[in-house]
C-alpha cells in the first residue's frame, strides 16, 4: 500500500480533482460526510468560508492511496482504510469526501479530502508529521489486509530522494523519465570533484547547469525540464554544493529562460532539417511550397509561457506576466463574434477596396466554452487559439494540461478585456504617479473630490474657470488633422479624442481628460459617478474653446481686482510674520524633538501657502500691469514713515525712472497704432496675396523673438520686485533687532520701582 498526502488551499480545484478522472479513468464519488451541502463544490466552498475565521491558509488535507499492481480491495475495506488513516492523522469525525478512480485496466485507487477546520473551537487541525504517519498506518494495514509488504527503504540503485510535485508534473507533461534523469545527475555529481568537471559531465549527458532564480544552481535536462541541485539529488547541503562549485562564477551562467530558449531553437533547427530531408526527392520542389508563417508576438508569448509553466495555474500566471489573459468564450462572446464576422463579410462584398487598403482581417471563429488567450491592441481585444502551433502539443495534451481549471475561475472574453484595460490604466497611472499635477489638473482633482454629485462637479469646474465639453464628430476630425500635421509645424501631437467623451477645457483652450490621474478614481468609477448627467447638454470642444476665449477678452472690474489683491497682500504679510515667529521659536535649543518637528511642519505649511499667494499676486500683476504699479506704490507708502532720507531719495529716483519708462511705453504704443493704421489702409486698397514661405518663416521668427522678449521681461520684473521686497524685509528686521536690543538695555538700567512703572 502506497499512501501520499498534502495540504490544499483551493477547494474548487480539489473538488475537480476528486470528481474528474484523467488518462481514461472513471471517477466515482463514494462518500460526502459532515457537510451542509450535498454538492462537493458547494461543500468545499463552505469550508473556505469557515477558514476565514482562522489563520489557516490551507484548510484541506488530501490523501491518495493505491495498491501494488494486481491487488484489489472491496468497497468496505477501502472505507476501513480511510477510517484508519483518518484516526491516525487526527481528523476523526471531520467532514470528508471519499472518491474512487477506476483505471481502464481494472485498477482502483482511493482519494480522500478532509476539512481541517474545527468549527467548535474555530481552529485548524495540524496533521503533524503526516508522511511518517501515513507510512506507519500503511505498514499496519498491509499486515491486517494481507497485502504485499512495501519497504520504507529505497532500493540500492536509487540514490536520490523522491521528486517534488511540481517536478513530477513537469516530467509527466514533457514525457521524460524523472527517475532516470535524477539518477543521471547524481552519477555526474559523484564522478566530479569541482564545478568544471561537473559541468562537463552534465553536457556529456545533454544537460546544462544554469543560474536559478530562488536557488543558486539548477539543471536543465534534454527536454527543458528544471531540476534544483539540492540535497534530495546530490545528498550534499547547500554550503557543500557552493564549496564544490566555487570555481564557477554563478553570474556567468545562463539563466533558465536563456537555456530553454536555446533548447527551443535547437529543436526548431532539428525539425527544419528533418523537414528538408523529407522533402528531398519529391516531385514538387520544396521552394514552391508556401513557407510556414513565423509566430507573431502574441503567439510567441503564448508558446513561451506554455513551455515554461509546470501547471495550468502557472500557465495563467505566466500569461499575466506578459500582459495576456486566459479566457473561456461565453454565449454572449459567441453572439458578438458572429455579428462581427457577418459585418466583415458584408464589408468585403460591398467595399473590398477598403478591406485591402486598411488590411482588415476576418475575426476568428470561436465556440462556446473554448479556451482562448486575449491580448490588448489599441484598446481592442485580440484573440489567439491554443493549438499545436502556439503550444507545441496536440489538442488532447492541451486539454489534459488545462483540465484542472474550474470553469468559474476563468473570465469570459469581455471580462478578460476589462481586466487588461484596468491593468493598462494602473500601469500608466503608476508611471505618472510621481509626476506632480499641474495647475489645471489640480483644479479638476479638487473640484472632483469636493463634489458630492456630478452636477456639483460641473459647477465646481465652472467656478474655477474651467469648462466641461463633449467630444463631437467635428472635434474628432479636427483632432485627427492636428495629430497628422503636428510634426510639420514642429509641435507635439495632441492626445487622441474619442467620440462622445467628456473632457475639460481650461481658459487657454487646452483639453484635459477626466481620468484616473485628474480624479484619483478608475475608469468605471468615473463613468458611474458621471452617469447622472446628460452628455447632450455639454457644448463641443470647439464651442467650449470659443467660450473660454470670449471670457478671457472680458474686461474685469478694476475695483474688485484692487480689493482682491489688497486682501492677498494682507494674507501674504500675515504668513511672513507667522514664518518669522516660527523661526524665532525654532531658535530655542530647549525644544524637544516632537515640539521641533511640529514647528517645522507648521513652518513648511506656512511657506507653501506663502508661495501660492505670491504666485497668485504675480499672475494678477502680469495680467494687469496697473495692479503691479499699485502693489509697488502701496508697498512704498506703507513703509515710507520708517524710511531714511537716503531711502526716500532712492525712491524718488526710482519714481522718476518709472515715469520715464511709462512715457516711453506711451510713445511706443502711439507708433504701433500708427503702423497698424497704415497697414489697414494699405490692405483695404491693395488686393492681398498669399504669403511666401520666406514671409511665413520671418513671421514665425518674429513671434518667437517676441515671446522670448516677453519671457525675459517677466523674469526681470519678478526678480526686480523680489530684490526690492528682500531689501525692505532685511531693513525692517535690522530695525526690529535694534529696537529689541534698546528695550533690553533700557530695562536693565532702570531701578526696580521704575521698571515696574514702565511695565
Amino acid at each position: 500500500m502506497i499512501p501520499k498526502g498534502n495540504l490544499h488551499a483551493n477547494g474548487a480545484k480539489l473538488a475537480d480533482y476528486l470528481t474528474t478522472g484523467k488518462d481514461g479513468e472513471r471517477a466515482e464519488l463514494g462518500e460526502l460526510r459532515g457537510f451542509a451541502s450535498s454538492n462537493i463544490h458547494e461543500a468545499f466552498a463552505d469550508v473556505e468560508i469557515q477558514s476565514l475565521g482562522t489563520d489557516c491558509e490551507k484548510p484541506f488535507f488530501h490523501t491518495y492511496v493505491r495498491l501494488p499492481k494486481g491487488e484489489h480491495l472491496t468497497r468496505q475495506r477501502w472505507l476501513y482504510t480511510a477510517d484508519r488513516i483518518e484516526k491516525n492523522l487526527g481528523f476523526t469525525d471531520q467532514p470528508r469526501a471519499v472518491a474512487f478512480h477506476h483505471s481502464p485496466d481494472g485498477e482502483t485507487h482511493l482519494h480522500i479530502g478532509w476539512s481541517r477546520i474545527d468549527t467548535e473551537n474555530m481552529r485548524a487541525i495540524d496533521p503533524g508529521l503526516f508522511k511518517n504517519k501515513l507510512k506507519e498506518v500503511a505498514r499496519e494495514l498491509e499486515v491486517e489486509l494481507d497485502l504485499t509488504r512495501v519497504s520504507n527503504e529505497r532500493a540500492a540503485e536509487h540514490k536520490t530522494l523522491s521528486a517534488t510535485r511540481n517536478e513530477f508534473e513537469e516530467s509527466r507533461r514533457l514525457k521524460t523519465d524523472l527517475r532516470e534523469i535524477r539518477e543521471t545527475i547524481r552519477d555526474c555529481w559523484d564522478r566530479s570533484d569541482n564545478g568544471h568537471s561537473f559541468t562537463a559531465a552534465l553536457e556529456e549527458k545533454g544537460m546544462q547547469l544554469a543560474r536559478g532564480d530562488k536557488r543558486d544552481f539548477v539543471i536543465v535536462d534534454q527536454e527543458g525540464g528544471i531540476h534544483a541541485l539540492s540535497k534530495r539529488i546530490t545528498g550534499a547541503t547547500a554550503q557543500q554544493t557552493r564549496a564544490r562549485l566555487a570555481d564557477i562564477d554563478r553570474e556567468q551562467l545562463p539563466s533558465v529562460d536563456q537555456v530553454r530558449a536555446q533548447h527551443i531553437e535547437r529543436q526548431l533547427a532539428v525539425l527544419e532539417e528533418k523537414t528538408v530531408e523529407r522533402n528531398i526527392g519529391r516531385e514538387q520542389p520544396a521552394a514552391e511550397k508556401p513557407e510556414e508563417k513565423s509566430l507573431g508576438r502574441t503567439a510567441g508569448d503564448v508558446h513561451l509561457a506554455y513551455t515554461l509553466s509546470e501547471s495550468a495555474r502557472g500557465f495563467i500566471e505566466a500569461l499575466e506576466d506578459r500582459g495576456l489573459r486566459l479566457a473561456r468564450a461565453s454565449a454572449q462572446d459567441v453572439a458578438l463574434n458572429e455579428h462581427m464576422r457577418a459585418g466583415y463579410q458584408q464589408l468585403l462584398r460591398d467595399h473590398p477596396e477598403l478591406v485591402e487598403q486598411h488590411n482588415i482581417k476576418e475575426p476568428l471563429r470561436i465556440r462556446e466554452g473554448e479556451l482562448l488567450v486575449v491580448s490588448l491592441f489599441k484598446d481592442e481585444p485580440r484573440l489567439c487559439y491554443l493549438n499545436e502551433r502556439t503550444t507545441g502539443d496536440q489538442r488532447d495534451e492541451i486539454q489534459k494540461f488545462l483540465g484542472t481549471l474550474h470553469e468559474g475561475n476563468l473570465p469570459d472574453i469581455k471580462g478578460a478585456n476589462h481586466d487588461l484595460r484596468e491593468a493598462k490604466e494602473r500601469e500608466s497611472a503608476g508611471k505618472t504617479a510621481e509626476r506632480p499635477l499641474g495647475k489645471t489638473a489640480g483644479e479638476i482633482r479638487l473640484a472632483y473630490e469636493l463634489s458630492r454629485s456630478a452636477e456639483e462637479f460641473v459647477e465646481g469646474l465652472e467656478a474655477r474657470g474651467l469648462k466641461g465639453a463633449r467630444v463631437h464628430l467635428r472635434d474628432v476630425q479636427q483632432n485627427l488633422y492636428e495629430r497628422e500635421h503636428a510634426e510639420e509645424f514642429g509641435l507635439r501631437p495632441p492626445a487622441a479624442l474619442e467620440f462622445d467623451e467628456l473632457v475639460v477645457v481650461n481658459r487657454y483652450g487646452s483639453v484635459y481628460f477626466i481620468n484616473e490621474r485628474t480624479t484619483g478614481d478608475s475608469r468605471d468609477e468615473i463613468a458611474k459617478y458621471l452617469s447622472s448627467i446628460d452628455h447632450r447638454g455639454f457644448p463641443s470642444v470647439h464651442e467650449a474653446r470659443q467660450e473660454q476665449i470670449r471670457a478671457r477678452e472680458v474686461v474685469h472690474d478694476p475695483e474688485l481686482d484692487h480689493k482682491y489683491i489688497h486682501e492677498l497682500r494682507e494674507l501674504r504679510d500675515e504668513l511672513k510674520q507667522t514664518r518669522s515667529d516660527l523661526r524665532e521659536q525654532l531658535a530655542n535649543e530647549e525644544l524637544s524633538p516632537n515640539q521641533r518637528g511640529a514647528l517645522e511642519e507648521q513652518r513648511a505649511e506656512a511657506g507653501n501657502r506663502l508661495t501660492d499667494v505670491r504666485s497668485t499676486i504675480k499672475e494678477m500683476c502680469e495680467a494687469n500691469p496697473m495692479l503691479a504699479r499699485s502693489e509697488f506704490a502701496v508697498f512704498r507708502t506703507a513703509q515710507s514713515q520708517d524710511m531714511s532720507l537716503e531711502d526716500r531719495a532712492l525712491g524718488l529716483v526710482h519714481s522718476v525712472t518709472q515715469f520715464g519708462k511709462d512715457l516711453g511705453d506711451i510713445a511706443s504704443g502711439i507708433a504701433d497704432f500708427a503702423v497698424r493704421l497704415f497697414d489697414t489702409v494699405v490692405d483695404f486698397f491693395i488686393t492681398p496675396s498669399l504669403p511666401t514661405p520666406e514671409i511665413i518663416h520671418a513671421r514665425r521668427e518674429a513671434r518667437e523673438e517676441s515671446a522670448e522678449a516677453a519671457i525675459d521681461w517677466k523674469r526681470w520684473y519678478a526678480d526686480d520686485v523680489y530684490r526690492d521686497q528682500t531689501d525692505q524685509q532685511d531693513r525692517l528686521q535690522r530695525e526690529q533687532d535694534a529696537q529689541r536690543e534698546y528695550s533690553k538695555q533700557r530695562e536693565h538700567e532702570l531701578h526696580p520701582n521704575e521698571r515696574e512703572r514702565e511695565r
Side-chain angles (χ1 to χ4, degrees), residues 40 78 92 144 178 365 413 455 506 622 624 730 751:
I40 187 172
W78 275 122
T92 304
E144 294 180 17
L178 182 59
R365 182 187 296 277
I413 297 176
E455 291 76 10
N506 67 0
E622 290 175 355
N624 188 355
D730 293 341
H751 190 271

Side-chain angles (χ1 to χ4, degrees), residues 366-408:
I366 61 177
R367 298 185 299 272
E368 185 176 358
E370 184 179 11
L371 293 179
L372 300 160
V373 176
V374 183
S375 62
L376 198 62
F377 180 75
K378 293 183 178 180
D379 291 338
E380 293 296 330
R382 295 293 178 89
L383 305 180
C384 179
Y385 288 128
L386 290 178
N387 50 27
E388 185 176 0
R389 182 170 180 268
T390 57
T391 63
D393 280 353
Q394 299 292 336
R395 183 177 296 274
D396 295 340
E397 293 292 332
I398 298 171
Q399 291 179 354
K400 182 194 298 184
F401 180 63
L402 302 177
T404 57
L405 293 175
H406 189 257
E407 183 175 354

Side-chain angles (χ1 to χ4, degrees), residues 54 56 79 100 146 158 175 193 250 257 270 319 375 439-440 471 479 493 496 512 592 617 621 626 654 679 691 737 743:
T54 66
C56 179
L79 294 177
F100 301 95
D146 194 18
H158 295 164
K175 299 181 177 63
D193 55 357
R250 179 179 176 275
D257 292 343
V270 172
L319 290 177
S375 62
K439 181 178 179 181
T440 303
V471 179
N479 178 257
Y512 287 79
S592 64
I617 294 175
C621 292
M626 296 301 298
H654 187 278
D679 291 340
D737 293 342
S743 300

Side-chain angles (χ1 to χ4, degrees), residues 524-677:
D524 295 338
E525 292 174 345
I526 296 171
K528 183 179 179 181
Y529 186 72
L530 300 179
S531 60
S532 60
I533 56 177
D534 187 7
H535 293 193
R536 294 172 298 179
F538 287 89
S540 65
V541 176
H542 177 74
E543 294 172 350
R545 282 174 172 169
Q546 295 299 323
E547 292 181 9
Q548 294 288 57
I549 292 174
R550 288 194 294 270
R552 288 176 58 191
E553 295 174 352
V554 175
V555 179
H556 297 282
D557 187 357
E559 296 182 1
L560 293 178
D561 290 342
H562 283 286
K563 181 179 179 181
Y564 181 56
I565 201 169
H566 177 69
E567 294 175 354
L568 289 177
R569 285 200 303 269
E570 293 180 351
L571 178 59
R572 180 192 59 191
D573 296 337
E574 292 177 2
L575 291 173
K576 288 180 181 178
Q577 185 62 35
T578 301
R579 289 188 64 191
S580 178
D581 296 339
L582 291 173
R583 185 167 55 249
E584 293 179 1
Q585 295 180 23
L586 288 171
N588 186 5
E589 298 180 357
E590 298 180 357
L591 292 175
S592 64
N594 294 335
Q595 293 174 343
R596 185 173 297 277
L599 291 176
E600 288 287 354
E601 292 179 359
Q602 295 177 12
R603 187 169 181 269
E605 182 180 0
N608 295 334
R609 293 186 59 190
L610 182 59
T611 302
D612 295 339
V613 172
R614 283 175 173 171
S615 62
T616 304
I617 294 175
K618 181 179 177 181
E619 291 177 2
M620 293 184 65
C621 292
E622 290 175 355
N624 188 355
M626 296 301 298
L627 293 177
R629 295 167 185 168
S630 65
E631 161 79 1
F632 181 82
V634 171
F635 180 81
R636 288 298 185 184
T637 303
Q639 306 297 337
S640 60
Q641 298 178 358
D642 298 328
M643 294 173 61
S644 62
L645 181 60
E646 181 183 357
D647 294 334
R648 294 185 181 182
L650 292 175
L652 179 59
V653 172
H654 187 278
S655 300
V656 173
T657 305
Q658 185 66 31
F659 180 72
K661 291 180 180 179
D662 294 342
L663 289 178
D665 293 341
I666 294 173
S668 177
I670 294 173
D672 291 342
F673 177 75
V675 172
R676 292 180 183 176
L677 181 61

Side-chain angles (χ1 to χ4, degrees), residues 294-304 324 384-385 389-391:
S294 60
L295 293 178
R297 178 178 178 180
T298 303
D301 288 341
V302 173
H303 190 282
L304 187 60
L324 308 174
C384 179
Y385 288 128
R389 182 170 180 268
T390 57
T391 63

